[in-house]
Amino acid sequence: MASPTSTNPAHAHFESFLQAQLCQDVLSSFQGLCRALGLEPGGGLPQYHKIKAQLNYWSAKSLWAKLDKRASQPVYQQGRACSSTKCLVVGAGPCGLRAAAELAMLGAQVVLVEKRTKFSRHNVLHLWPFTIHDLRALGAKKFYGRFCTGSLDHISIRQLQLLLLKVALLLGVEIHWGVTFTGLQPPLKKGSGWRAQLQPSPPAQLASYEFDVLISAAGGKFVPEGFTVREMRGKLAIGITANFVNGRTVEETQVPEISGVARIYNQSFFQSLLKATGIDLENIVYYKDDTHYFVMTAKKQCLLRLGVLRQDWPETNRLLGSTNVVPEALQRFARAAADFATNGKLGKLEFAQDAHGRPDVSAFDFTSMMRAESSARVQEKHGARLLLGLVGDCLVEPFWPLGTGVARGFLAAFDAAWMVKRWAEGTGPLEVLAERESLYQLLSQTSPENMHRNVAQYGLDPATRYPNLNLRAVSPSQVRDLYDVEAKEPVRRMNDKTDSGKPAAGSVGTQEELLHWCQEQTAGYPGVHVTDLSSSWADGLALCALVHRLQPSLLEPSGLQGVGALEATSWALRMAEHELGIAPVVSAQAMVAGSDPLGLIAYLSHFHSAFRSTPHNPAGPVSHGSMGTASAVLFLGKLQRTLQRTRAQENGEDAGGKKPRLEVEAETPSTEEPPVPEPDVLVTPPSQHQEASTEDLCALCGEHLYILERLCANGRFFHRSCFCCHTCEATLWPGGYGQHPGDGHFYCLQHLPQPGHKADSSDTSPESQDLPTQSEDNMPSCPSTPMAPQEGTSPVPSPSQPTRRLIRLSSPERQRLSSLHLTPDPEMEPPPKPPRSCNALAHQALEESFVGWGVPVQSPQALVAMEEEEEDSPCSSEEEAEEEEDVPLDLNMEQALQNLAKNSGTMNNHPTWRRTLLRRAKEEVMKRFCKAQAIQRRQNEIEAALRELEAKGVELELALRSQSSSPDQQKALWLEQLLHLVQKKNSLVAEEAELMITVQELNLEEKQRQLDQELRAYMNREETLKTDADRQAEDQVLRKLVDVVNQRDALIRFQEERRLSELASGPGAHG
C-alpha cells in the first residue's frame, strides 16, 4: 500500500501498476506512471534506469534491488551486450514475454506484437524449481503476493503473463496489442532492412520498424516460413480442462491439491471413480489458483457412452468439433470427476467464465504434437541478415501431463537470447546456428533431475544450466541448409533424399544370410540338415535344435527320439516363447505342413535379430546374457502366466500344483534348476483349441491376419487392434491383462471382473446411464478407516504357511513399520535444512495430499494452516532463505528430521524447512506422475508406429504372395524390406516391454506405499482394542505387503541380471 502521507501521483500510479489484475489496467497504470515521470514507454533499458532514478519510493526499492541484481550479471555487460541489435518478438505468451525481458536486459531494442488484447487463460502451469527461483528473482512476489507460497509450485497462465508483462514494461519493451504478424517483408534494396507484415494496418512507426532478429513465440499454429515441422503422433488422446470459481472460503482452502495421479500405478482410484460415476480416465490433476483447475485425460468410449460426444468419427477434428460435443454433458462430466477427486469437499462447483463469457470447460486433442526440426535460421538478402529463432509452443508443443511446457519454454527463451548475444558479438552465422542447434538437442531431454542442482546459479550462459554441455555437438557444416542467402546454391537436406527402399544397416539382410545363420546354429545336431527356410523345418527337429542351442538346459537332443513332428514343433514354439521371449508368428501345423513359408521366415528372423551377436560355439551353450532385446518380453510373458495361474487358483481351477509366486517365475532356468515347464510336458500333444486355431484368421474378428499384424496370446493369434479390453477398448500389454473364464473376454487389470462376478455393467448405453451426483453411497471410503483387503487383488501365500517364516521380518524391521508416531526429544534442536531427497519422509509428508484416495491421514489441516500463514505474511528473509541450496544430511540427521516431521507441533514451530520438505514431497509425486505419463505417451507413439508398419507389411506381403510376373530380383528386394519391417516391429515390441517393466515398478511401488499405510494404521492400535477381524485383516495386509516386496525384488533381480549380462557382453568383456 502507498504511504498515507505520499502526495506524489507517480507513487499512486506505481501502486496501481503493482496491483493491476487486468491487462488493460496494467497498460493504463504504466502509461500514467510514465506521464507522471515525463517519460515515453518503450524506451529500452535506459527507460528502466530513468524510472528507478526518478521514482524515489520505498515500495519500489525491493523490486529495483531484484532487477538490478539480475542485470548486474557479467553476461549482460551492463546492458551493452546487444545495444546495437533490434529485435521483434511475436507473441505475448509467457515464453515470448520472458524472451523479450531477457533481450531487453542485454540492451537490445525490443518490440513485441500480440494479436490479443487481454489475458484470459485460467489454466494452471506446473513450475520446475528453477522457474520458481527465476520468477522470484524478477520480483514475482512483488507483483503477485501469493506466488508459490508454502509448497505451491504452480501458477495460472494469466497471472504469469501479467507479472512478466509488468517486468517487460519496466525494462523498456515496446508492446503493441491487437496486431497480428502475418509474415516477413524482405529488404527491397541494398541498405534497407527486414520488416514485418502486420494486420490490421499498424502505426507508421511500427510499420517502418526494421529489425535484424525475429523471435517467434506465437504458438504451435504459427511457425515462420522456412522452418520444417515434424509431427509426433500417438494413440487418440482426449484431454479435458475445467476451471471452477474459487471463492477462497475456509472450506475450499482445506481441500488438498492433486499434483497428479495416473491409472498406470493407481488403478484402485480410477476403478472407484468408474464404479461411482461411470467416468473412465487415464489421469487427473487438480491445482488451486485463481480458479479450481482440473485437467484429465478421458477415454473416447466413456465420452460416447455418457453422451458427451454425439457420434464416433475417425477424424479427430470432427470427433471433438463443436457440433459433436454436447456442452451440458461435458460440464456434468467435468463436475462429477472434480467432485469425486476432491471427495465432494469443494461444495457446489460453479464454472468460471472464459474469454467469451461461457463456462470454462473444454475438450481438446493432444494425439499429435508438433516439433520444429530446427530452432533457428538465418536469411540474407541485399546484404541484410535476419536471425530467426523459435521459442515456446512453435518450437516444441509440450505434452501437458509432463508439466514441462513453461520450464522448457523458459530454457528455450534463455537459449534464444544467448544466440542473439553471440550474434551481436559478431560470431559467424553458421557458428551461431550450430551452437543453437547443439542446445536444442538437449531441450527435450531436460528435467529437474538432469540439470544443475543449484538453481541459484542459473543464468543466460548455457553452462550454468546444462551439465556436460557440448556446444560443438552440431558442426557448422551440418547447418548450412539453415542459412538462406539470395542466389546461394540450395543445399539438399539429407532427409529430403528419396528412400531407396533398402534396409538400414544392421538389419536382417538377405534371405541367404538368415539361412547361413540358421545353418551355423543347428550344425552338429543328429538328423538336422537345414538346406532351406521351408521344408527343412517340417519335422520340428531343426527348430528344437535351434532352441536347444540357445537354451541347452531345456532338453537333451536324445529326448526327441520317437516324438512326432507336430509335438516337437509345438514344444519348440512353446519353449521359444516361454524361455526365450520369441513370440510365435506361425502355428505348429503350418510349419509342419510348410503352408506359410513367409511366416516361417519372419519367425526365424526374430531369432536372428535377438541372438545374432551370439558367437557360434558348437561345443558350448549360449549364455543367458546374450538374449538381447527379448529379455523384457520374456520377463513379462512369465509375469502374465503367473497372473493367469493365480487367477485360475482363485477360481478353483487346477493350476498344476505350481506355486503362484512371481519370484519363482522370474528365475531363469539353469542346469541346476528345472525350467518352469517340466520335461513331462514336452511330448504332450497340443491342446484342442491350439489344434483348431490358425494364424491366418484373427481369433476375435475372424478376419485375415497378415504376418506383421499377428499378435499371439494364450496360443491364439489376434489383430493387435482387436486384442483390447472388452470394457474400455484399451490396448492390452503383457503383464497387464487377464482373461475372464466365464465369458472368455480379455480385460485390462482395472476392468477384469473379480472371481465369481460378471463383467462390469459400465458397458451400458448412453441412454441407460447418466452421471450420478456425489453422495454418501458412492463416496470413497473414509481414508482413516482401514478396510479389510479384497481377496484376489494380488497373489498371496497360502494361509496354511507359517506367517513368521514367510514374512522374515526382524524386530527392528517391524518396529520401523510401526514407528509412525515416534515422539522426539523436546529439547532437541531441529536441523537448519531438510534433506534434498528422502523418499520415506516425502511419503510421510504426502499423507495430507491424498484425502479421499484410500490413504490414512494424520492432520489434513496442517498444510493448509501453514500455507495460509505464508500467504498472510509479507515477503521476508524466509523467501530468500528457501532459495538457498539445500545441504545433504548424514543418516543420523536425516533420521532425526524424520522423527521430528512426525510431530505436527514440532513441524509447525519451524515453517521454513517444513515448507521446503512439503515441496520436496510434491516434487516426488510430480516426478512419478511425469514418469508414468511419459511412458504412456511413448506407448501410444509405439502403437501408432506399429500400425504404420502393419500397413506397409500388408502391401509387401500381398505383393510377394501374388502370382505376378515380377522379376526374382524385385521379389528378393520385397522380401528384404518385409524382413526389415519385421525387425523394426520386434524392436518396437521390445521397447514396449521395457516400458511395461517400468510400469510394473511404479505399480508395485504404489501398492507397497498403500499397504504400508494400512499396516501402520493396524499396528498403531492398542492390542487390547483389536478384534479378531482386525488381527485377521492385519495379517492379510502383512502377507500382501511381503508379496509385493517379493515381486519388487524379482524386478530388481531381473534388472541386475540384465545389467550384468550387458557388462559381460560389452566391448570390454572380451579383452
Side-chain angles (χ1 to χ4, degrees):
M1 297 295 292
S3 173
T5 59
S6 175
T7 58
N8 190 335
H11 295 177
H13 285 302
F14 183 76
E15 284 296 333
S16 299
F17 175 71
L18 291 181
Q19 303 301 326
Q21 289 297 299
L22 296 176
C23 184
Q24 294 301 325
D25 293 343
V26 172
L27 297 176
S28 60
S29 58
F30 185 73
Q31 290 172 355
L33 174 64
C34 290
R35 283 195 302 269
L37 299 177
L39 301 173
E40 283 293 328
L45 201 57
Q47 172 203 276
Y48 163 72
H49 294 296
K50 292 178 182 178
I51 294 177
K52 184 179 67 170
Q54 297 185 37
L55 189 65
N56 187 16
Y57 183 37
W58 66 269
S59 181
K61 291 182 178 180
S62 61
L63 179 60
W64 304 149
K66 286 182 175 294
L67 295 178
D68 286 345
K69 182 179 179 181
R70 176 79 183 193
S72 65
Q73 294 180 7
V75 69
Y76 299 109
Q77 301 176 15
Q78 297 181 348
R80 295 192 295 269
C82 299
S83 57
S84 60
T85 304
K86 294 183 177 181
C87 304
L88 177 68
V89 178
V90 181
C95 299
L97 288 168
R98 188 65 189 89
E102 208 63 28
L103 292 171
M105 284 191 177
L106 287 167
Q109 180 182 347
V110 185
V111 175
L112 186 148
V113 294
E114 167 59 45
K115 64 180 180 181
R116 297 183 177 90
T117 57
K118 59 182 179 181
F119 299 148
S120 58
R121 291 184 288 176
H122 296 296
N123 292 355
V124 179
L125 300 172
H126 172 70
L127 301 178
W128 289 5
F130 95 84
T131 53
I132 296 175
H133 184 277
D134 177 69
L135 292 169
R136 278 206 182 102
L138 294 177
K141 293 284 287 186
K142 193 70 177 177
F143 300 119
Y144 183 48
R146 296 173 54 86
F147 176 76
C148 288
T149 53
S151 61
L152 299 183
D153 56 358
H154 51 75
I155 188 174
S156 70
I157 298 177
R158 192 181 72 86
Q159 286 291 350
L160 180 57
Q161 286 178 287
L162 283 172
L163 70 88
L164 287 174
L165 171 63
K166 295 173 184 179
V167 172
L169 288 172
L170 286 175
L171 293 176
V173 177
E174 180 181 335
I175 302 179
H176 296 268
W177 301 93
V179 177
T180 302
F181 176 86
T182 59
L184 287 169
Q185 181 178 327
L188 300 177
K189 58 183 180 179
K190 192 172 183 64
S192 59
W194 293 82
R195 299 182 182 182
Q197 297 176 359
L198 305 170
Q199 295 290 339
S201 299
Q205 182 180 0
L206 179 60
S208 60
Y209 178 64
E210 295 182 350
F211 48 88
D212 46 17
V213 174
L214 172 67
I215 302 296
S216 176
K221 295 183 179 179
F222 177 79
V223 178
E225 185 179 356
F227 286 90
T228 303
V229 177
R230 177 165 56 93
E231 182 182 24
M232 298 175 290
R233 292 197 61 82
K235 184 182 175 183
L236 176 65
I238 301 175
I240 294 178
T241 60
N243 284 279
F244 300 98
V245 174
N246 186 354
R248 305 191 186 281
T249 62
V250 175
E251 292 77 15
E252 288 175 289
T253 58
Q254 291 179 348
V255 179
E257 296 180 332
I258 303 171
S259 298
V261 64
R263 191 178 68 159
I264 279 183
Y265 59 80
N266 194 342
Q267 296 182 4
S268 58
F269 168 77
F270 293 96
Q271 196 163 13
S272 300
L273 172 65
L274 178 63
K275 291 181 179 178
T277 65
I279 293 175
D280 205 0
L281 299 179
E282 294 284 354
N283 51 49
I284 189 169
V285 173
Y286 162 51
Y287 285 146
K288 197 184 313 177
D289 207 86
D290 287 345
T291 61
H292 296 291
Y293 171 68
F294 291 84
V295 58
M296 61 202 81
T297 302
K299 295 191 175 182
K300 181 183 71 172
Q301 293 302 321
C302 171
L303 295 175
L304 289 167
R305 188 177 69 246
L306 296 177
V308 178
L309 301 178
R310 290 189 171 93
Q311 191 172 349
D312 188 3
W313 295 103
E315 303 88 1
T316 308
N317 56 345
R318 295 187 68 183
L319 181 69
L320 298 180
S322 57
T323 58
N324 199 46
V325 177
V326 180
E328 297 78 10
L330 179 60
Q331 293 170 28
R332 289 197 301 270
F333 184 99
R335 186 181 284 112
D339 202 43
F340 182 90
T342 56
N343 214 1
K345 294 186 177 181
L346 284 179
K348 184 179 179 180
L349 292 169
E350 179 183 350
F351 283 99
Q353 302 297 307
D354 63 12
H356 305 285
R358 298 188 295 254
D360 195 352
V361 56
S362 62
F364 63 97
D365 165 48
F366 61 101
T367 301
S368 61
M369 296 181 296
M370 311 306 293
R371 175 186 175 89
E373 292 281 0
S374 59
S375 59
R377 297 184 67 85
V378 172
Q379 296 186 19
E380 182 176 341
K381 189 172 184 179
H382 295 307
R385 290 177 177 172
L386 175 66
L387 175 64
L388 298 95
L390 305 180
V391 299
D393 289 2
C394 64
L395 179 63
V396 179
E397 282 189 328
F399 181 49
W400 75 260
L402 298 184
T404 58
V406 67
R408 290 178 179 169
F410 275 24
L411 290 174
F414 295 155
D415 294 339
W418 174 261
M419 173 184 68
V420 175
K421 178 180 181 295
R422 298 280 290 153
W423 177 264
E425 291 172 348
T427 308
L430 292 179
E431 286 74 15
V432 170
L433 291 173
E435 193 173 280
R436 179 67 187 96
E437 294 308 305
S438 298
L439 291 173
Y440 184 38
Q441 288 185 349
L442 299 175
L443 186 63
S444 61
Q445 307 168 16
T446 54
S447 68
E449 291 73 40
N450 61 19
M451 297 182 65
H452 280 309
R453 303 296 295 178
N454 185 9
V455 297
Q457 75 174 13
Y458 282 24
L460 194 62
D461 189 342
T464 63
R465 294 174 274 122
Y466 305 111
N468 305 318
L469 178 65
N470 181 13
L471 291 177
R472 299 182 180 273
V474 177
S475 65
S477 61
Q478 294 176 283
V479 295
R480 291 185 181 276
D481 56 334
L482 302 181
Y483 184 19
D484 297 330
V485 182
E486 185 183 33
K488 178 173 70 77
E489 190 68 25
V491 179
R492 185 185 181 94
R493 298 187 65 174
M494 293 299 293
N495 57 3
D496 287 338
K497 294 181 180 179
T498 56
D499 187 5
S500 62
K502 294 184 179 180
S507 64
V508 174
T510 65
Q511 186 175 349
E512 289 73 19
E513 292 175 3
L514 178 60
L515 175 60
H516 179 68
W517 181 83
C518 292
Q519 289 171 336
E520 281 188 342
Q521 297 299 319
T522 58
Y525 284 88
V528 177
H529 303 285
V530 176
T531 58
D532 54 33
L533 296 176
S534 56
S535 59
S536 296
W537 305 82
D539 57 3
L541 296 180
L543 186 60
C544 289
L546 182 60
V547 172
H548 180 267
R549 171 74 70 195
L550 302 175
Q551 188 65 283
S553 62
L554 295 178
L555 175 71
E556 288 299 326
S558 58
L560 292 175
Q561 295 179 0
V563 177
L566 184 60
E567 295 171 351
T569 304
S570 298
W571 175 86
L573 288 171
R574 186 165 58 250
M575 290 303 100
E577 180 181 11
H578 291 188
E579 303 302 327
L580 299 178
I582 307 294
V585 179
V586 63
S587 68
Q589 293 83 353
M591 286 191 67
V592 173
S595 59
D596 190 8
L598 280 180
L600 176 60
I601 293 175
Y603 181 58
L604 293 175
S605 71
H606 196 171
F607 283 89
H608 180 265
S609 299
F611 300 99
R612 62 187 171 194
S613 60
T614 302
H616 177 57
N617 184 8
V622 173
S623 66
H624 301 302
S626 62
M627 291 176 60
T629 59
S631 58
V633 178
L634 173 62
F635 182 86
L636 288 178
K638 295 190 173 188
L639 173 61
Q640 181 61 38
R641 291 188 293 278
T642 300
L643 295 176
Q644 290 174 342
R645 283 203 302 271
T646 301
R647 187 164 183 82
Q649 286 189 341
E650 292 171 352
N651 291 331
E653 298 174 359
D654 181 18
K658 290 294 182 67
K659 184 181 179 182
R661 303 289 294 179
L662 174 62
E663 61 269 23
V664 175
E665 284 292 335
E667 293 173 1
T668 305
S670 62
T671 54
E672 293 81 10
E673 186 177 84
V676 176
E678 290 82 353
D680 58 2
V681 181
L682 356 160
V683 293
T684 302
S687 61
Q688 189 64 33
H689 78 272
Q690 186 177 356
E691 289 180 351
S693 65
T694 171
E695 72 281 3
D696 291 334
L697 299 178
C698 175
L700 287 175
C701 70
E703 297 294 330
H704 186 78
L705 270 174
Y706 293 93
I707 292 174
L708 263 76
E709 295 179 324
R710 295 174 189 173
L711 184 149
C712 184
N714 292 11
R716 293 184 292 171
F717 292 94
F718 306 89
H719 286 107
R720 186 179 177 89
S721 57
C722 293
F723 192 64
C724 57
C725 176
H726 182 66
T727 299
C728 66
E729 299 187 359
T731 302
L732 300 178
W733 287 291
Y737 71 89
Q739 185 177 17
H740 191 263
D743 57 21
H745 294 301
F746 292 95
Y747 297 88
C748 65
L749 294 183
Q750 179 184 352
H751 298 117
L752 182 62
Q754 294 298 317
H757 292 74
K758 295 183 178 180
D760 197 342
S761 60
S762 61
D763 201 21
T764 54
S765 62
E767 292 78 7
S768 62
Q769 184 173 355
D770 198 1
L771 283 175
T773 57
Q774 192 82 355
S775 64
E776 293 297 329
D777 296 333
N778 56 30
M779 283 276 193
S781 59
C782 179
S784 60
T785 306
M787 301 296 294
Q790 297 289 331
E791 292 188 4
T793 54
S794 64
V796 296
S798 171
S800 62
Q801 292 176 316
T803 303
R804 296 291 180 182
R805 181 180 63 81
L806 183 66
I807 296 172
R808 303 187 185 93
L809 290 179
S810 63
S811 296
E813 289 171 332
R814 291 184 66 91
Q815 181 63 29
R816 185 177 180 183
L817 285 174
S818 59
S819 62
L820 184 60
H821 295 296
L822 288 178
T823 304
D825 185 353
E827 300 298 325
M828 184 169 54
E829 287 295 322
K833 282 288 181 180
R836 169 163 295 279
S837 61
C838 177
N839 288 338
L841 191 54
H843 288 321
Q844 173 65 27
L846 274 175
E847 290 175 0
E848 296 121 356
S849 301
F850 281 87
V851 178
W853 297 60
V855 178
V857 178
Q858 295 296 320
S859 54
Q861 288 79 22
L863 173 60
V864 177
M866 184 273 296
E867 289 184 354
E868 289 177 345
E869 178 185 351
E870 286 293 328
E871 292 170 7
D872 295 337
S873 63
C875 181
S876 65
S877 59
E878 288 187 2
E879 177 190 335
E880 302 296 335
E882 69 178 339
E883 296 180 18
E884 298 174 4
E885 179 67 7
D886 294 333
V887 228
L889 303 178
D890 57 30
L891 292 178
N892 294 332
M893 189 66 75
E894 184 174 305
Q895 184 63 40
L897 179 58
Q898 184 174 3
N899 292 336
L900 286 167
K902 295 167 184 174
N903 183 285
S904 58
T906 306
M907 291 286 285
N908 290 332
N909 291 336
H910 304 278
T912 302
W913 55 264
R914 180 173 185 265
R915 176 183 59 238
T916 308
L917 170 67
L918 292 171
R919 178 167 291 156
R920 293 283 181 264
K922 293 185 71 173
E923 289 173 4
E924 290 295 321
V925 172
M926 191 64 188
K927 187 190 304 181
R928 181 175 56 170
F929 178 72
C930 291
K931 187 175 183 180
Q933 296 312 299
I935 291 172
Q936 188 169 9
R937 176 66 190 183
R938 182 53 187 156
Q939 285 177 332
N940 292 339
E941 290 175 350
I942 289 175
E943 189 169 343
L946 287 172
R947 284 199 299 265
E948 294 180 3
L949 288 178
E950 290 173 0
K952 295 178 182 178
V954 169
E955 295 180 5
L956 287 172
E957 187 174 349
L958 287 173
L960 284 168
R961 293 185 185 274
S962 64
Q963 301 297 325
S964 62
S965 57
S966 301
D968 292 341
Q969 185 179 2
Q970 179 62 52
K971 290 185 177 182
L973 178 60
W974 286 341
L975 181 58
E976 289 183 34
Q977 292 175 354
L978 181 64
L979 293 180
H980 178 58
L981 294 180
V982 170
Q983 183 189 17
K984 290 180 66 176
K985 176 187 175 181
N986 294 336
S987 176
L988 289 173
V989 170
E991 182 185 355
E992 187 179 55
E994 297 285 354
L995 295 176
M996 287 306 301
I997 293 289
T998 309
V999 169
Q1000 292 294 335
E1001 292 176 343
L1002 291 173
N1003 195 18
L1004 290 173
E1005 178 184 340
E1006 176 66 16
K1007 283 183 179 179
Q1008 182 174 348
R1009 190 187 66 81
Q1010 293 181 356
L1011 290 170
D1012 279 340
Q1013 297 289 349
E1014 290 186 47
L1015 186 62
R1016 287 195 189 104
Y1018 283 117
M1019 299 185 73
N1020 285 333
R1021 295 184 185 181
E1022 293 290 340
E1023 285 293 332
T1024 56
L1025 300 179
K1026 292 182 181 179
T1027 64
D1028 291 339
D1030 290 337
R1031 293 187 180 91
Q1032 184 179 4
E1034 179 182 353
D1035 185 61
Q1036 289 178 345
V1037 172
L1038 193 55
R1039 293 184 190 184
K1040 288 187 176 184
L1041 179 59
V1042 173
D1043 187 71
V1044 169
V1045 170
N1046 287 335
Q1047 293 182 45
R1048 292 189 69 184
D1049 181 61
L1051 283 174
I1052 293 172
R1053 289 205 314 271
F1054 164 75
Q1055 299 281 23
E1056 180 64 14
E1057 289 173 3
R1058 183 171 55 178
R1059 184 185 69 84
L1060 294 176
S1061 298
E1062 291 172 353
L1063 289 176
S1065 59
H1070 303 290

